[in-house]
Amino acid sequence: MSIYYSGTFKRSSGVISAITKQLKKVNLKPVKRIQVQFDPFHPNAVTARDFLFHITTPKVLESNLNCVIKPNVVCDRSEPEIKVDLLEKGSVKFLANNLTVLEILQQFNKHVSSLAKPEEETPVQVTKLEKKRQKKR
């Protein structure tokens, strides 16, 4: 009599791979401005700084070149917060005091990146020469 295996068959790839997976989904097209405010002496300022690091990578910034990312470093013992101003209307505010970077990115994708309109694929015109090549194959 054997004991049934209860658990996963393979290990998860870890937090870093989960963050990179979320970063691939980030789309800044509906965003006008991102303000990251933190006090460097606050114990939970690390998450806001890490989010700022991840959001300023070139691949993420390519999704909207007009998006302004502004870090505000204050010294008033305030909690870290991330404010996202949208192009159309309104804003989204993340209080990063008790959140991890992964949770912030998941909520960012859920509330902000989902507002981006999907890109329409433009039909590629096929020339006569390409048609002849396709027929020969």
Side-chain angles (χ1 to χ4, degrees):
M1 183 158 177
S2 64
I3 299 173
Y4 292 109
Y5 181 77
S6 62
T8 61
F9 289 109
K10 64 178 185 174
R11 292 185 175 186
S12 72
S13 300
V15 176
I16 302 297
S17 65
I19 289 173
T20 56
K21 182 179 178 182
Q22 291 297 322
L23 279 173
K24 289 178 184 177
K25 295 179 184 178
V26 169
N27 192 347
L28 297 178
K29 286 185 182 172
V31 178
K32 180 174 25 175
R33 175 181 297 175
I34 299 175
Q35 295 176 350
V36 181
Q37 178 177 330
F38 61 92
D39 179 13
F41 301 110
H42 194 276
N44 294 333
V46 176
T47 56
R49 291 191 336 237
D50 286 345
F51 175 79
L52 183 66
F53 170 76
H54 290 300
I55 209 74
T56 55
T57 57
K59 194 153 194 160
V60 174
L61 290 176
E62 282 178 1
S63 63
N64 185 0
L65 298 175
N66 296 327
C67 179
V68 177
I69 299 176
K70 183 178 181 187
N72 294 331
V73 180
V74 294
C75 190
D76 58 356
R77 301 289 182 186
S78 63
E79 295 180 355
E81 64 182 40
I82 300 161
K83 185 178 179 188
V84 181
D85 295 328
L86 302 174
L87 283 174
E88 294 175 1
K89 58 182 177 181
S91 63
V92 179
K93 189 175 188 180
F94 297 103
L95 299 176
N97 190 21
N98 295 322
L99 297 175
T100 63
V101 178
L102 180 60
E103 292 169 343
I104 293 172
L105 287 171
Q106 287 172 343
Q107 294 302 316
F108 188 89
N109 285 332
K110 181 179 177 183
H111 296 291
V112 178
S113 295
S114 63
L115 298 174
K117 297 175 185 171
E119 294 181 11
E120 297 178 8
E121 293 183 19
T122 57
V124 179
Q125 295 181 355
V126 181
T127 62
K128 292 180 182 178
L129 182 62
E130 291 175 355
K131 286 181 183 178
K132 287 181 182 179
R133 288 181 183 168
Q134 290 176 356
K135 287 182 182 178
K136 288 181 181 180
R137 292 181 186 179

